[in-house]
Amino acid sequence: MKTLIDEAKTLRRTLHQYPEVGFTEMITTYLILKEVEDTSFTLYLGSDATDINAQMGRPSEAELLKACERAERFGVDKDTLDKIRNGETGIVAVLDTGVEGPHVGFRFDIDGLPITEAEKDSHIPFVEGFKSKHDGEMHACGHDAHASIGVALLKYIDTNKDELKGKYTIIFQAAEEGLRGANGYVQKGWLDTVDYFFTSHVGLVPLKVGTVNAKSKGFLSSKKFDVEFYGKSAHAGAEPNAGKNALLAASNAAVNLNAISRHRDGATRLNVGKLEAGSGRNVIPDYAFMMCEVRGEKDELTEYMYERAEAVIKGAALMYDCDYKIRLMGNASTAVCDDELVDVIKRATVNNSYITQLNEEGPAGGSEDATYMINRVQKNNGKATYMTFPYELKAGHHHPEFDVDEAVLGVAISTYIDIVNELNKD
């Protein structure tokens, strides 16, 4: 166990230096591949792993090309890069023991965030020399830890395969941030025959290391969308009547989106997170861009918010005689974890020395595209849960000073290994 934990810490610190946002995780995919390619698992990359047609919020061709060039400079080999250069990043690893038993699925997300990492004496990755080498990108949510935990689990299963039964599918998922990547793997059918599905997150809840929440509640359904307004440029002094002001259309939409009535049947959320428009003080803007999201504690509430948002955006465009386009960039559903797996985790970890407190349930704290996977497993009569491994956060998720308490690696790795062993008992 100690060796697995030490290797996971080393890998986590390596991955932390090379964060990549969704669908550009080419170096990350390569680094994971190098860790697991000599195992007995069959490894699937590119279009063999994910369905590109089910991906949302894909990067532009220019962004993908830039990521490819960076990966080439890093040393990613041509054969690997050719499989993933189109944004089909991530890995699916499968091992069938050949012995009758359950099909167990696991998912670990691998992407980073578009955040510039802090350079402060209080920030351990900066002080100890493993902060991000990619300007404007950072592992600010712990996915570097998730990937390392997944690799440790894979190595354990591989080493002990002759004593295990059933089938194991481990998904190293691209593009969780923005709720964009999970459905691509779901649509490839990897989860259709899974009997038990486990995924998790480190942090989220500020509790002491050693705490495990066996399932999560309160997942919010969500839709992420971009909006473009197209107007007509004109001289603001000489002929203001000739212009069609896209900036004002977007501003009107931004204000009135926040005036949408909340729903009596449950919690709803809306945020306009970005608005860009204009080129000069005397030029009527002909283009505006917004990034928005809606959420709800039920799928129906999210749909209500999205439909109202569409109406507001259309009205703002009409008011200023502009055209508009809405592009869905990410989506996630609600989900309910299975109580039966709480019992499995309880039995599995009864003698786990890394765990000091096992809670049946903890808060999800937001939206997660792992809900696609949970719902698919349950649709096919399997059981699924989303665990959390808390620690005392010095800075919140998606913050430039976010960091992982690496003691949580031992808690998570040992929990997953205990689960595998429990499911192999006669």
Side-chain angles (χ1 to χ4, degrees):
M1 182 67 74
K2 184 180 185 301
T3 299
L4 286 174
I5 294 171
D6 289 345
E7 290 177 352
K9 178 179 176 179
T10 299
L11 178 58
R12 180 255 160 175
R13 291 190 171 207
T14 299
L15 294 173
H16 190 86
Q17 297 175 65
Y18 302 99
E20 298 160 295
V21 297
F23 302 126
T24 71
E25 309 99 321
M26 300 177 191
I27 296 173
T28 304
T29 298
Y30 174 75
L31 288 170
I32 295 170
L33 179 65
K34 291 287 117 180
E35 289 284 326
V36 302
E37 64 181 353
D38 291 331
T39 68
S40 298
F41 276 79
T42 302
L43 306 176
Y44 299 87
L45 280 77
S47 59
D48 292 331
T50 185
D51 182 352
I52 195 171
N53 295 315
Q55 294 176 344
M56 289 173 279
R58 284 176 49 79
S60 67
E61 292 300 320
E63 290 169 324
L64 288 172
L65 178 60
K66 184 178 179 181
C68 281
E69 292 171 345
R70 183 169 66 181
E72 287 176 341
R73 291 193 299 271
F74 179 85
V76 177
D77 63 90
K78 184 178 184 301
D79 287 345
T80 300
L81 198 54
D82 284 347
K83 293 176 182 177
I84 61 178
R85 66 169 58 247
N86 199 30
E88 296 161 303
T89 44
I91 300 172
V92 177
V94 179
L95 175 67
D96 192 335
T97 66
V99 180
E100 185 177 354
H103 183 183
V104 188
F106 305 94
R107 171 271 205 173
F108 302 93
D109 41 11
I110 67 172
D111 55 323
L113 284 153
I115 293 174
T116 299
E117 187 162 8
E119 297 184 352
K120 294 185 176 182
D121 291 341
S122 58
H123 187 54
I124 291 175
F126 173 66
V127 173
E128 299 192 12
F130 64 95
K131 72 172 286 290
S132 173
K133 297 181 184 295
H134 293 167
D135 292 339
E137 292 176 281
M138 176 189 173
H139 272 297
C141 201
H143 296 186
D144 49 346
H146 297 172
S148 302
I149 293 163
V151 168
L153 173 64
L154 186 153
K155 289 180 177 179
Y156 176 83
I157 293 171
D158 180 62
T159 300
N160 295 276
K161 60 183 179 296
D162 292 337
E163 286 76 48
L164 300 177
K165 61 185 179 181
K167 181 178 179 180
Y168 299 89
T169 297
I170 302 178
I171 300 173
F172 294 94
Q173 182 208 312
E176 184 280 325
E177 300 293 352
L179 313 178
R180 299 177 291 154
N183 196 40
Y185 303 90
V186 170
Q187 297 306 319
K188 290 294 286 189
W190 294 114
L191 300 164
D192 288 354
T193 62
V194 164
D195 298 299
Y196 304 110
F197 176 76
F198 300 87
T199 187
S200 60
H201 209 297
V202 299
L204 294 183
V205 186
L207 299 173
K208 289 184 178 181
V209 171
T211 305
V212 176
N213 296 324
K215 69 174 185 176
S216 301
K217 66 175 181 178
F219 289 106
L220 295 176
S221 169
S222 181
K223 283 184 180 288
K224 319 289 187 184
F225 56 98
D226 290 348
V227 186
E228 294 177 289
F229 291 92
Y230 304 94
K232 181 182 178 183
S233 184
H235 193 289
E239 49 175 1
N241 57 297
K244 298 178 181 180
N245 198 316
L247 184 154
L248 292 181
S251 299
N252 179 279
V255 170
N256 285 292
L257 282 169
N258 282 280
I260 294 173
S261 297
R262 300 310 187 245
H263 204 285
R264 69 181 182 183
D265 291 341
T268 55
R269 303 282 189 272
L270 181 143
N271 189 53
V272 179
K274 185 174 184 178
L275 195 162
E276 292 181 341
S279 58
R281 72 179 70 251
N282 63 344
V283 181
I284 292 175
D286 63 350
Y287 177 79
F289 172 77
M290 295 198 313
M291 297 176 69
C292 311
E293 67 171 21
V294 292
R295 306 186 196 225
E297 66 175 279
K298 303 175 184 177
D299 292 349
E300 296 81 4
L301 295 178
T302 298
E303 289 302 319
Y304 159 78
M305 293 295 290
Y306 187 67
E307 289 172 5
R308 295 302 305 136
E310 288 181 307
V312 167
I313 292 162
K314 179 179 180 180
L318 287 171
M319 182 178 293
Y320 291 93
D321 197 18
C322 293
D323 295 323
Y324 72 96
K325 182 186 295 183
I326 301 174
R327 182 185 177 199
L328 186 63
M329 301 297 289
N331 194 19
S333 182
T334 55
V336 177
C337 298
D338 288 295
D339 290 336
E340 290 91 333
L341 294 191
V342 174
D343 294 333
V344 170
I345 295 166
K346 281 182 176 180
R347 294 195 304 271
T349 60
V350 66
N351 294 316
N352 188 315
S353 61
Y354 293 89
I355 298 176
T356 57
Q357 177 68 41
L358 178 63
N359 301 322
E360 290 190 359
E361 190 172 71
S367 305
E368 246 285 1
D369 69 351
T371 53
Y372 274 115
M373 298 184 176
I374 291 171
N375 289 330
R376 176 58 69 94
V377 170
Q378 293 171 337
K379 180 181 178 182
N380 291 296
N381 300 313
K383 305 297 181 184
T385 193
Y386 187 104
M387 301 177 289
T388 53
F389 301 103
Y391 57 91
E392 294 179 339
L393 300 163
K394 294 181 179 179
H397 292 261
H398 296 206
H399 188 282
E401 294 180 61
F402 174 86
D403 193 19
V404 172
D405 184 336
E406 291 174 335
V408 82
L409 296 174
V411 181
I413 292 168
S414 62
T415 298
Y416 274 108
I417 289 173
D418 284 345
I419 288 169
V420 169
N421 291 333
E422 177 66 24
L423 293 175
N424 273 271
K425 290 181 179 178
D426 293 330

